[in-house]
């Protein structure tokens, strides 16, 4: 675990702090004693942060607006920036401007403001969707061949960061995240959907059998972010952050059933497969192990158990009531 003394009093700026990963990162940084600022576009999106808002310097603004990013960097005076902001929208051509403005122009705005401010370390969260489909484990040197708007624009941002790293030594480390799960995940995602269905006794529409994913628990991701922030010397380097193990969707459902002690009523094939669904999806994580000294600590069974415990209506976790209602559970 990262030592608290490394973060105590350190000034940090986080973009995308209201999201699933951001909410976990902000809590960890506060626990480590960091002085945290967050660029937040909409106040109503900060429901995950309600109990800790008073501990964070909230900087209103949009990552796609250069003046907002410049103001946030100037006001927060960070030593480290965690760039988590990303577009979350339907994969429709009509939403291409949103993906470009948030993912691509947002990265450009951050690069320019960070360069002007002389920021010492930037960590950017890329996506496994920057890769295409493959019959072998994804390695960081694979040719990028994204097939979604999200993947295309995240790849463009990654290449922008790498380009300025090569050209001017920009101190950015890129973490290419696979399927992250755990507390604060959005309820429409696969694992939360299974958990909620099991707890409520409802039916889940499943894809056809045979689709696989590489899941990584949120605490392992947060640890990777903190480690990467201490390695600005790795200018432009990309690291897969995953478990290195692929799991069938039906295996995940079986784990949830074992943990809760209830069978999940599911209809196989009732849920249409997405472009991102594939029968083979796994990351090679040897580079993260050897260069960053990072490796996942939480296996899928343990992570799902921890997520179920966190979601249990009987537990009283701060800020979680809104999420519980989104899951359709009673707090």
């Amino acid at each position: 675990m990262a030592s608290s003394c490394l973060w105590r009093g350190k000034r940090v700026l986080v973009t995308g702090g209201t999201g699933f990963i951001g909410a976990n990162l902000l809590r960890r940084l506060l626990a480590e004693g960091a002085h945290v600022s967050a660029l937040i576009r909409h106040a109503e999106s900060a429901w995950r942060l309600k109990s800790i808002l008073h501990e964070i310097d909230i900087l209103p603004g949009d990552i796609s607006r250069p003046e907002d990013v410049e103001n946030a960097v100037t006001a927060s005076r960070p030593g480290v920036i965690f760039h988590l902001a990303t577009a979350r929208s339907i994969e429709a051509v009509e939403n291409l401007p949103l993906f470009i403005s948030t993912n691509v122009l947002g990265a450009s705005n951050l690069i320019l403001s960070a360069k002007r401010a002389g920021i010492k370390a930037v960590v950017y969260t890329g996506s496994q969707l920057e890769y295409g489909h493959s019959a072998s484990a994804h390695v960081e040197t694979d040719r990028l061949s994204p097939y979604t708007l999200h993947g295309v624009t995240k790849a463009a941002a990654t290449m922008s960061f790498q380009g300025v790293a090569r050209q001017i030594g920009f101190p950015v480390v890129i973490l290419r995240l696979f399927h992250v799960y755990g507390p604060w995940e959005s309820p429409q995602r696969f694992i939360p959907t299974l958990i909620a269905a099991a707890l409520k006794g409802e039916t889940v529409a499943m894809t056809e059998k045979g689709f696989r994913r590489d899941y990584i628990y949120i605490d392992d991701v947060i640890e990777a972010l903190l480690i990467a922030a201490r390695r600005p010397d790795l200018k432009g380097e990309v690291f897969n952050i995953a478990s290195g193990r692929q799991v069938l969707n039906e295996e995940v459902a079986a784990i949830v059933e074992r943990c809760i002690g209830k069978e999940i009523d599911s209809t196989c094939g009732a849920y249409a497969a997405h472009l991102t669904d594939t029968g083979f999806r796994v990351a090679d994580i040897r580079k993260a192990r050897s260069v960053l000294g990072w490796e996942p600590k939480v296996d899928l069974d343990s992570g799902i158990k921890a997520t179920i415990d966190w979601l249990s209506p009987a537990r009283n976790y701060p800020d979680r009531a809104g999420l519980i209602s989104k899951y359709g559970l009673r707090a």
Side-chain angles (χ1 to χ4, degrees), residues 64 87 89 92-106 149 153:
S64 68
S89 189
V93 173
E94 290 74 18
N95 288 328
L96 180 58
L98 173 64
F99 284 101
I100 291 175
S101 64
T102 303
N103 294 348
V104 184
L105 296 181
L149 298 179
T153 51

Side-chain angles (χ1 to χ4, degrees), residues 117-191:
I119 302 302
K120 302 301 182 185
V122 176
V123 181
Y124 168 63
T125 51
S127 169
Q128 49 103 11
L129 293 181
E130 297 172 47
Y131 296 120
H133 291 310
S134 175
S136 58
H138 292 293
V139 296
E140 292 85 353
T141 53
D142 282 351
R143 178 177 177 270
L144 300 185
S145 184
Y147 41 85
T148 65
L149 298 179
H150 183 75
V152 166
T153 51
K154 292 294 280 187
T158 289
M159 289 188 281
S160 298
F161 278 116
Q162 289 184 305
V164 294
R166 295 186 185 108
Q167 186 175 18
I168 63 171
F170 188 74
V172 63
V173 177
I174 300 148
L175 302 185
R176 192 165 283 150
L177 309 182
F178 277 63
H179 285 88
V180 188
Y181 72 100
W184 297 113
E185 187 177 7
S186 297
Q188 67 268 26
R189 302 264 289 177
F190 184 55
I191 289 179

Side-chain angles (χ1 to χ4, degrees), residues 42-303:
H42 300 302
E44 60 270 21
S45 68
W47 54 269
R48 288 181 173 97
L49 311 176
K50 186 176 179 181
S51 70
I52 60 171
L53 282 175
H54 66 287
E55 301 180 65
I56 302 168
D57 287 340
I58 301 300
L59 305 171
D62 190 324
I63 192 69
S64 68
R65 292 170 54 87
E67 60 272 27
D68 289 355
V69 179
E70 183 73 14
N71 290 339
V73 172
T74 300
S76 59
R77 295 180 291 111
V80 177
I81 297 177
F82 291 97
H83 182 39
L84 279 56
T86 191
R88 298 292 182 192
S89 189
I90 297 170
E91 284 281 338
V93 173
E94 290 74 18
N95 288 328
L96 180 58
L98 173 64
F99 284 101
I100 291 175
S101 64
T102 303
N103 294 348
V104 184
L105 296 181
S108 173
N109 295 336
L110 190 80
I111 288 167
L112 295 176
S113 292
K115 177 182 177 294
R116 282 190 288 266
I119 302 302
K120 302 301 182 185
V122 176
V123 181
Y124 168 63
T125 51
S127 169
Q128 49 103 11
L129 293 181
E130 297 172 47
Y131 296 120
H133 291 310
S134 175
S136 58
H138 292 293
V139 296
E140 292 85 353
T141 53
D142 282 351
R143 178 177 177 270
L144 300 185
S145 184
Y147 41 85
T148 65
L149 298 179
H150 183 75
V152 166
T153 51
K154 292 294 280 187
T158 289
M159 289 188 281
S160 298
F161 278 116
Q162 289 184 305
V164 294
R166 295 186 185 108
Q167 186 175 18
I168 63 171
F170 188 74
V172 63
V173 177
I174 300 148
L175 302 185
R176 192 165 283 150
L177 309 182
F178 277 63
H179 285 88
V180 188
Y181 72 100
W184 297 113
E185 187 177 7
S186 297
Q188 67 268 26
R189 302 264 289 177
F190 184 55
I191 289 179
T193 296
L194 291 174
I195 294 172
L199 292 175
K200 294 188 291 181
E202 294 183 350
T203 301
V204 175
M206 298 274 286
T207 56
E208 294 289 349
K209 292 182 178 181
F211 292 119
R212 292 174 172 85
R213 295 177 176 179
D214 187 335
Y215 288 94
I216 182 71
Y217 188 62
I218 184 63
D219 287 2
D220 285 328
V221 172
I222 300 305
E223 197 65 30
L225 287 164
L226 298 185
I227 291 172
R230 306 201 301 270
R231 296 298 308 275
D233 57 302
L234 299 171
K235 298 179 175 66
E237 291 289 337
V238 178
F239 297 91
N240 288 334
I241 301 300
S243 70
R245 173 176 176 257
Q246 58 181 333
V247 186
L248 288 163
N249 286 347
E250 48 268 32
E251 290 181 278
V252 177
I255 293 172
V256 173
E257 288 177 332
R258 288 200 306 271
C259 291
I260 293 180
K262 293 182 180 178
E263 287 191 6
I264 298 173
D265 183 23
S266 62
T267 53
C268 182
Y271 191 85
H274 292 165
L275 284 173
T276 55
D277 289 321
T278 175
F280 192 96
R281 170 78 61 178
V282 66
D284 185 320
I285 59 174
R286 287 177 294 178
K287 183 179 178 183
R289 281 191 172 115
S290 62
V291 179
L292 288 180
W294 171 91
E295 64 178 332
K297 304 292 187 185
V298 183
D299 62 46
L300 187 58
D301 286 68
S302 299

